[in-house]
């Protein structure tokens, strides 16, 4: 049960230009995570799924934008992003994971 709960914490890796720069410079990877996830849960989920050692986790809440659809206003949903720094010697290959 614990492994199923940890597997639902991480939604997807975020692949962007900024996340590629962070991965090259600081051995960090960026993930979209559940809104109610804590740093400890994110750390345990990454260690379990990718079999690596995590050094630190930084999280931030991304606010959804307000968008216009014709005459009506809509809002994208809020979500949470996690920057996961790995210990030296560990690496995640997102292309093969």
């Amino acid at each position: 049960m614990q492994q199923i709960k940890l597997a639902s914490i991480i939604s997807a890796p975020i692949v962007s230009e900024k996340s590629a720069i962070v991965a090259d410079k600081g051995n960090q990877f960026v993930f979209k995570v559940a809104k109610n996830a804590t740093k400890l849960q994110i750390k345990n989920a990454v260690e379990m799924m990718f079999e690596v050692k995590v050094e630190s986790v930084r999280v931030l809440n991304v606010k959804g934008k307000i968008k216009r659809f014709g005459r009506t206003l809509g809002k994208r949903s809020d979500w949470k992003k996690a920057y996961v720094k790995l210990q030296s010697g560990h690496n995640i290959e997102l292309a093969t994971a």
Side-chain angles (χ1 to χ4, degrees):
M1 182 62 184
Q2 181 69 13
Q3 290 180 341
I4 295 171
K5 190 172 182 181
L6 285 177
S8 66
I9 296 288
I10 297 176
S11 300
I14 298 176
V15 180
S16 65
E17 189 174 345
K18 183 178 178 181
S19 65
I21 291 169
V22 171
D24 289 340
K25 287 186 179 179
N27 200 20
Q28 293 182 357
F29 295 91
V30 187
F31 296 99
K32 183 175 182 179
V33 296
K35 282 181 64 170
N36 59 354
T38 63
K39 288 183 178 184
L40 185 60
Q41 289 174 337
I42 295 168
K43 176 182 176 181
N44 291 337
V46 170
E47 287 180 347
M48 182 196 73
M49 291 177 76
F50 298 105
E51 297 172 357
V52 294
K53 292 291 182 184
V54 174
E55 185 175 317
S56 65
V57 176
R58 294 182 301 153
V59 296
L60 60 110
N61 292 313
V62 179
K63 302 295 182 189
K65 294 181 180 180
I66 295 174
K67 293 290 188 177
R68 178 179 288 289
F69 300 103
R71 287 192 289 181
T72 61
L73 285 177
K75 183 179 181 297
R76 292 184 183 169
S77 57
D78 300 337
W79 54 285
K80 188 179 256 189
K81 184 191 299 191
Y83 286 86
V84 178
K85 184 173 184 176
L86 302 180
Q87 290 181 357
S88 61
H90 292 276
N91 193 14
I92 296 174
E93 292 296 328
L94 292 177
T96 59

